[in-house]
Amino acid sequence: MKPAFPGVAAHGFTVRALAIGTVLSVFLNIACPYVVLVMRVAGLTSDYITAGAMMLLFVLVLLVNPVLKLLFGRHALSTTELLLIYIMMVVASAIPTWGLVTNLFHILTRPFYYATPENAWTEIIVPHIPSWIAPRDPQVAYHFYNGLPRGESLPWQAWVLPLAWWVALMVTVYFVMICLMVLVRRQWIVHERLTFPLTHPPMELLKGNDRDVVPALFRTWKFWAPFLIVFFIVSNNAIRFRYHEFPEIKLIDWFPFFRNSIRICFFWNFAIIGVTYFINLDVAASIWLFSLLAKIQTGVFNTLGVTVGGRHEWLTGSSPATAHQAFGALTVLSAAVLWRARHHLRQVFRKAFRNAPDVDDSDEIMSYRTAVFGIIFGVIFICGWYNAAGLPWGPGLIFLGVAYLIFFGITRVIAVGGIGFTSAPMLPQVFMVYGIGPEFLGPKGIVQMAFQFSWAAEYRTSVMTSSISGMKLAQDAKGRPRIVFLAMMLAMIAGMAGAIWITMHLNYTRGGANMRQFGVPSLAYAFSEHHLKNPVETQWIWERWQFTGIGAVVMSLLIFARHHLAWWPVHYVGFVIGDCWVTGVAWWSVFLGWLAKLIIMRSGGAVAYRRYMPIFLGMLFGQLMCGGVWMIVDVIAGNIDDFVYIGVP
């Protein structure tokens, strides 16, 4: 008789985990561009929840590893190994589409294909593009959008130099992000004990993995009942795609308010509801509350005719006023976070510059000295790259600082708030034009602002956020921390290589114009074209700074109230992201998750919270796995436009 399963051996961060993580990182970076560009459906890597990584972890824990346990017993994948694999997938998820690569290729080719006498790009944009940044041969861009003639191979020779420089730039940008997170990791995770809600679902998924063949979560009806119900509800679009007479279950709708000047979205997304269950009640309340307040402010301003000079740029808040308010709030939040960490940062710099023996950094993924000097030399390289491309040292340093400031603030919000679907209230490009003035950039600098839309635009995903979440998971796994840095770099570089290859292959074989068109590249050049042709008045700059100041003052008061008034009921992080367009879509589901948790906590406290947690995990994974299953079905069937919601559309 075969003996009972003895449990998984205590494997640490192993070579096989690195290998599996690398393979799956490449898979995600190939699969996501395919389903987005060819199938024109939801992205697997487009948000902070990293849906593709969650799905693959679900499959590994529920299907693959139980088979390995039955076949190999103690030599199956341990929890520590699975966490390392998941960390690698999360980091790799920030790269393939919205994060960088697909945006980048379309931005590099667009001015050479879409230039017309009407937009005058040939005169105002193309002359400011160095040959080492983008292939200047019009045929390279033409075939990118229309496909290569039969028999011709991909024009790698034209792309080698530009891609080499862009890969060098972006690996450095991401490396600096990781270094910045190393500086604050201990402060956030050990001293402040931030909750990192997005790390809770994978940890709950893995509970009992080393002890049981199938973890306990998968052996309860509290998980499978909501999983199956949500799976059926979310499948409605896919079923109606095949059978049009099937009754519709409408999950999203928009309602106009304030004389049709704004629209408020009501979106039933069970993944967002599930994630919200792991967010503190006051934080979740602040997210939906400040989202509504921002909409009301915009509606009142529209009704009364209150305007701010200059045009309203896409991918910012619902109006220039609220966008700049939120940016002021984000700046104060980041400053407050750094001030609170001042004692820890002093120790970090003592270790980096003086090698202070009383400061221990052995539990970090890299030494403090490596992190600090990595930031210094990384920033010098990035700004030097910008200077060679036409963005002078001063503007380049300010742009990079603002971009990192926004990433840092959003990362702090995710660490505290845990909402898997959000973005930034402001773009660094918009700040450079309306916060300082386009003259400071010059024509070459304004064109460079378009190129930087490739990685600093939607802010729906970030290596900075992924890396600090990975550090939190690595601490819980208790593996060797320095291997985590190697794993992150492997995932990043291998994933980027996979995304570059599939993006080139798809566009040159199918024609980019025949597939889904991304909005960011068109917005990038609309931004540069507009500001090359139209001056920005000084009065507009001061008007926007006034709203930035208002946001900073309000945020300061909210932080003071939070930390000094015991009765104050609402957290302040919602003020930073409440007006982001993604939050504007997700707010209703956040409200529903908050309301459900409020009722549970009021009725049964912490005991009830643990008792009903599987229900919300079932909702979360029911939504994600439904999208994944229908994607596989559609790949096999060759369907396109069969949209099944995973996250925010």
Side-chain angles (χ1 to χ4, degrees), residues 126-285:
V126 172
H128 300 305
I129 302 176
S131 58
W132 57 272
I133 281 184
R136 295 181 64 91
D137 183 353
Q139 287 300 305
V140 173
Y142 178 83
H143 292 314
F144 182 85
Y145 289 99
N146 293 280
L148 287 165
R150 181 170 298 181
E152 288 196 22
S153 58
L154 300 182
W156 286 109
Q157 186 174 358
W159 281 100
V160 167
L161 182 62
L163 285 179
W165 280 110
W166 275 100
V167 168
L169 173 69
M170 292 313 305
V171 168
T172 307
V173 167
Y174 293 148
F175 172 71
V176 172
M177 288 183 178
I178 295 173
C179 291
L180 287 168
M181 291 297 97
V182 169
L183 300 191
V184 299
R185 183 206 66 86
R186 184 174 296 173
Q187 174 68 25
W188 290 13
I189 295 176
V190 179
H191 300 327
E192 298 184 45
R193 297 184 180 274
L194 301 185
T195 55
F196 289 87
L198 287 181
T199 66
H200 291 193
M203 292 301 295
E204 293 296 329
L205 208 64
L206 288 165
K207 279 189 175 179
N209 172 75
D210 293 343
R211 182 181 63 253
D212 304 318
V213 175
V214 177
L217 178 67
F218 300 113
R219 303 197 305 270
T220 173
W221 66 268
K222 292 178 185 177
F223 177 84
W224 286 113
F227 180 98
L228 294 173
I229 292 170
V230 168
F231 196 101
F232 173 77
I233 293 172
V234 179
S235 293
N236 181 257
N237 276 4
I239 297 172
R240 283 177 53 79
F241 180 83
R242 293 158 176 78
Y243 307 100
H244 301 299
E245 67 278 5
F246 195 82
E248 180 181 10
I249 302 175
K250 198 165 188 179
L251 296 175
I252 187 169
D253 209 347
W254 303 78
F255 294 90
F257 293 90
F258 291 97
R259 300 177 183 175
N260 295 326
S261 65
I262 64 166
R263 294 193 307 160
I264 296 180
C265 179
F266 291 84
F267 180 38
W268 296 74
N269 184 292
F270 299 96
I272 300 175
I273 295 172
V275 167
T276 304
Y277 192 73
F278 297 95
I279 303 175
N280 287 342
L281 284 170
D282 55 347
V283 175

Side-chain angles (χ1 to χ4, degrees), residues 28-45:
L28 280 174
N29 275 262
I30 291 175
C32 188
Y34 183 86
V35 300
V36 168
L37 294 174
V38 177
M39 298 171 62
R40 300 201 289 249
V41 295
L44 297 169
T45 60

Side-chain angles (χ1 to χ4, degrees), residues 248-450:
E248 180 181 10
I249 302 175
K250 198 165 188 179
L251 296 175
I252 187 169
D253 209 347
W254 303 78
F255 294 90
F257 293 90
F258 291 97
R259 300 177 183 175
N260 295 326
S261 65
I262 64 166
R263 294 193 307 160
I264 296 180
C265 179
F266 291 84
F267 180 38
W268 296 74
N269 184 292
F270 299 96
I272 300 175
I273 295 172
V275 167
T276 304
Y277 192 73
F278 297 95
I279 303 175
N280 287 342
L281 284 170
D282 55 347
V283 175
S286 77
I287 293 170
W288 64 260
L289 176 62
F290 280 109
S291 180
L292 284 180
L293 290 175
K295 289 290 187 184
I296 292 171
Q297 179 183 347
T298 299
V300 171
F301 278 21
N302 290 341
T303 304
L304 298 178
V306 178
T307 59
V308 177
R311 73 173 192 167
H312 178 206
E313 302 288 352
W314 288 90
L315 301 178
T316 57
S318 57
S319 71
T322 55
H324 283 269
Q325 279 179 186
F327 178 67
L330 183 146
T331 303
V332 168
L333 172 65
S334 299
V337 168
L338 292 174
W339 175 255
R340 188 172 184 180
R342 64 192 182 279
H343 300 301
H344 167 69
L345 292 176
R346 186 181 300 118
Q347 300 296 93
V348 168
F349 294 129
R350 285 182 60 239
K351 186 68 173 180
F353 292 110
R354 300 180 182 177
N355 196 27
D358 59 313
V359 180
D360 181 19
D361 59 0
S362 61
D363 58 345
E364 305 289 355
I365 67 170
M366 68 175 74
S367 69
Y368 288 147
R369 175 168 291 182
T370 301
V372 170
F373 283 97
I375 293 169
I376 293 171
F377 290 116
V379 168
I380 291 172
F381 174 79
I382 296 167
C383 291
W385 194 102
Y386 286 163
N387 184 65
L391 183 62
W393 284 92
L397 184 60
I398 294 174
F399 170 82
L400 186 64
V402 174
Y404 279 143
L405 170 70
I406 296 172
F407 277 116
F408 184 84
I410 295 300
T411 298
R412 176 69 180 201
V413 169
I414 299 298
V416 175
I419 181 172
F421 305 90
T422 191
S423 57
M426 175 62 62
L427 302 186
Q429 296 89 339
V430 176
F431 173 83
M432 296 298 293
V433 169
Y434 286 110
I436 302 176
E439 297 81 8
F440 183 64
L441 294 168
K444 288 185 177 181
I446 294 176
V447 172
Q448 276 304 308
M449 291 296 97

Side-chain angles (χ1 to χ4, degrees), residues 25 46 87 133 188 348 425 462 604:
S25 296
S46 55
I87 290 168
I133 281 184
W188 290 13
V348 168
S462 162

Side-chain angles (χ1 to χ4, degrees), residues 42-43 46-47 49 51 230-231 233-234 237 249-253 265-277 419-421 460 582-583 585-594 616 618-627 643-649:
S46 55
D47 291 289
I49 198 173
V230 168
F231 196 101
I233 293 172
V234 179
N237 276 4
I249 302 175
K250 198 165 188 179
L251 296 175
I252 187 169
D253 209 347
C265 179
F266 291 84
F267 180 38
W268 296 74
N269 184 292
F270 299 96
I272 300 175
I273 295 172
V275 167
T276 304
Y277 192 73
I419 181 172
F421 305 90
R460 290 178 64 179
V582 179
T583 312
V585 176
W587 78 272
W588 174 246
S589 295
V590 173
F591 169 78
L592 294 174
W594 166 83
F616 293 87
M619 291 183 188
L620 166 61
F621 286 102
Q623 179 110 31
L624 298 184
M625 295 309 298
C626 178
F643 192 93
V644 177
Y645 290 113
I646 293 176
V648 173

